[in-house]
Amino acid sequence: MRADPPRTAGVAEDRLAAFLADETARFERENPRSKEALQRGARSYLGGVPMHWMKDWPSPFPLVAVEAQGARLTDLDGHRLDDFCLGDTGSMFGHSPAPVARAIRRQARQGLTYMLPTEATFEAGRLLNRTFGDFRWQVALTATDANRFALRVARAVTGRRKVLVFNGCYHGTVDDTMVMLENGRTRARPGLVGMVADLASKAVAVEFNDIAGVEAALATGEIAAILTEPVMTNSCMVLPEAGFHDALRTLSRRYGAVLILDETHTLSSGLGGYGRVHSLSPDILVVGKCVAGGIPTAVWGLTPDLGARFEAYNATRPAGHSGMGTTLAANPMQFACLCATLSEVMTPEAYAHMDRGAKRLANGLATVIARVGAPWHVVRVGARVEFICAPGPLRNGSEAARAHHPRLEGAVHLGLLNRGSLIAPFHNMMLVSPMTRPRQIDRLIAAFDATLTELFA
Ligand SMILES: Cc1ncc(COP(=O)(O)O)c(C=O)c1O
C-alpha cells in the first residue's frame, strides 16, 4: 500500500514544490525590467532596498512600481495590477483620492512645514470628533509613534510600568509591545535588532479572548494600559468573542488601567472604525496609515476625562523633554489631507461600496475553498478580507501562529500576482477600496480559483 504524500494545509508537498517552481520561473520571465532596475540600484541601499520590508514580498524580487491610481498599480514591466494590498492599508481609500490630491497641490503652494497650527488644524479637529467621537487629539507621523506616545501618557497618569498586549499582536515598531507568550511566560520576540531592554519588565503578553488571563495580569496592579486592536489583524485575523471587549472595558476600569484601542487596521470596519460601529468606549483611540488618505499621519485621542488627568500630571512634571513628539509631526500638509479625507473620502457611501465589494470577495473566496475542499477559511472585517490556510475560527495568537504556512501562502501570493492581483505581503490580507471595481474583485476570485485548482489537483 502506498503512503499518502506529505501535505501542508491540505496541499501535497510535491504539488506545492512544482507550482512554486513554475510560478517563480514565470515571474522571473515576465519581470525583467524590475529585476534589472533592482540590480542596478541595489548598491546604494543597505540590503539593496531603502526599507527592508520591501524584500518580504513572496516574489523572488519586489516589483518596481511606476504609478498607482484608484485600485490599480502599474509596474516597470507594464503590468497593470489590481491592487488589493493598497500599501498595506496606507491607501485603503484608493491611491491618490482626488480630494487628497487637490489638497496636496493646494498646500504645496503654501509651505510644507511650519511648527505652527493653521485654520485647517482646527477644522481637522472638528472632523476627527465628528468621525470618531469626543476625544482630545494629538497628531503624529506614524501609528508606531502614536502608540508609543499613548503608552507614555498611560504610564504617566497611572504611575505604573507595564503594558498588557495580546500574544501575536502588532502595533508598529514599539519596543514595549514586541513580546510573546512562551509556556505561559512573557518574553521578548526573537529577532529584534539591537534590543537591550528587558521587555518582560515593561510588558505582559496574554492570549486574545482570555478574559481570566487579562484579569490575572491586571490584578498584579502593575498594568498601566491594555493596548489592543479590536480585532487581531496582524496574526491571521482573530475576531473578539462575544463579551470580550465589554470585559476589557469593565476590568480595565476596575483595576485602574488605561484602555487603548489601536484602530489602524480596523478602520476598515465602517465609518469611525470598529469601536464606533460596535459602541466601544476606549480611553485612548489610535488611528494611523490611511487616516489622511496616504500622507504619513496618525492621530491619537484621549477622552476628555483622561485628557484632564494628563493635563494635571503635565502641570506638575519638571520642565524638559517629554519624550513625545517629532519635528515634522502636525505639519500643515497633514491637516490639509486630514480635512480632505475626513470630509470627502471617508464617507458613508465609500464605506457602503467597500463593504459590498468585500462581501463579494469573501463569498467568492469561500466558494473556491469549498469547491476544492481546502481545510481553510475566510474572515472579513468590513473592507478587510483574509483567507487563512487552516480551519476556523481562530481564538488567539497561538492558534493563529499555528495556522500560518509561509511557503504555501507565498505560493498562493505568487500565483495571484502572476495572474494580475497584488495582495499584502505579510499575511493573506486583501482590502477593497472605494475605487475597487467589481470586475477587479471577480478577477482576483478567478486567480484564486486557478491557483487553488492547481495546488489541490
Ligand atoms: C494595528 C497596527 N498598529 C500600528 C501599526 C504601525 O503603523 P506604522 O507602521 O504606520 O507606524 C500597524 C502596522 O502595520 C498596525 O497594523
Side-chain angles (χ1 to χ4, degrees), residues 10 23-24 30 43-45 47 66-67 92 115 118 150 199 223 274 374 387 391 406:
E23 296 298 322
T24 301
E30 293 183 354
R43 273 190 55 223
S44 314
Y45 288 104
V66 174
E67 61 153 4
M92 186 172 79
M115 213 183 256
T118 58
L199 296 184
I223 306 297
Y274 188 99
F387 65 85

Side-chain angles (χ1 to χ4, degrees), residues 53 88 141-145 147 170-173 229 233-234 262-265 289:
W53 289 347
D88 194 5
L141 287 167
T142 65
T144 297
D145 275 347
N147 280 322
Y170 184 71
H171 296 284
T173 49
E229 289 187 274
T233 67
N234 284 294
D262 178 354
E263 292 256 26
T264 296
H265 276 182
K289 294 200 180 182

Side-chain angles (χ1 to χ4, degrees), residues 336-406:
C337 293
L338 268 172
C339 288
T341 306
L342 294 168
S343 61
E344 294 180 75
V345 177
M346 223 187 264
T347 60
E349 297 73 35
Y351 271 108
H353 178 93
M354 293 155 79
D355 205 63
R356 259 194 318 275
K359 208 174 281 170
R360 182 186 188 108
L361 177 57
N363 287 340
L365 299 180
T367 302
V368 173
I369 287 170
R371 188 184 64 69
V372 301
W376 300 8
H377 74 290
V378 176
V379 184
R380 180 170 85 87
V381 178
R384 177 176 298 269
V385 179
E386 182 144 343
F387 65 85
I388 294 164
C389 304
L394 304 172
R395 271 199 81 220
N396 57 42
S398 291
E399 290 186 11
R402 286 193 290 276
H404 262 307
H405 303 287

Side-chain angles (χ1 to χ4, degrees), residues 140-295:
L141 287 167
T142 65
T144 297
D145 275 347
N147 280 322
R148 206 154 54 77
F149 304 150
L151 286 179
R152 290 192 85 107
V153 166
R155 287 185 168 120
V157 298
T158 60
R160 299 177 185 172
R161 207 178 154 73
K162 289 190 175 177
V163 54
L164 188 161
V165 291
F166 292 104
N167 189 37
C169 72
Y170 184 71
H171 296 284
T173 49
V174 182
D175 282 349
D176 316 36
T177 64
M178 293 289 183
V179 292
M180 60 184 282
L181 255 187
E182 192 176 64
N183 303 323
R185 293 176 71 98
T186 300
R187 56 157 285 195
R189 292 185 194 177
L192 293 171
V193 172
M195 177 54 64
V196 292
D198 171 14
L199 296 184
S201 71
K202 305 198 287 180
V204 177
V206 174
E207 291 289 11
F208 200 68
N209 283 321
D210 177 6
I211 296 172
V214 169
E215 177 150 27
L218 289 170
T220 62
E222 295 181 318
I223 306 297
I226 299 174
L227 171 59
T228 186
E229 289 187 274
V231 172
M232 287 233 285
T233 67
N234 284 294
S235 55
C236 301
M237 278 218 285
V238 180
L239 299 175
E241 290 177 347
F244 182 61
H245 280 296
D246 287 344
L248 290 185
R249 183 62 286 186
T250 306
L251 291 172
S252 55
R253 286 212 173 104
R254 184 179 305 154
Y255 291 96
V258 172
L259 181 59
I260 308 173
L261 269 195
D262 178 354
E263 292 256 26
T264 296
H265 276 182
T266 49
L267 189 55
S268 65
S269 306
L271 191 61
Y274 188 99
R276 202 116 214 239
V277 171
H278 295 271
S279 305
L280 306 186
S281 46
D283 299 306
I284 304 183
L285 180 71
V286 173
V287 189
K289 294 200 180 182
C290 55
V291 69
I295 284 289

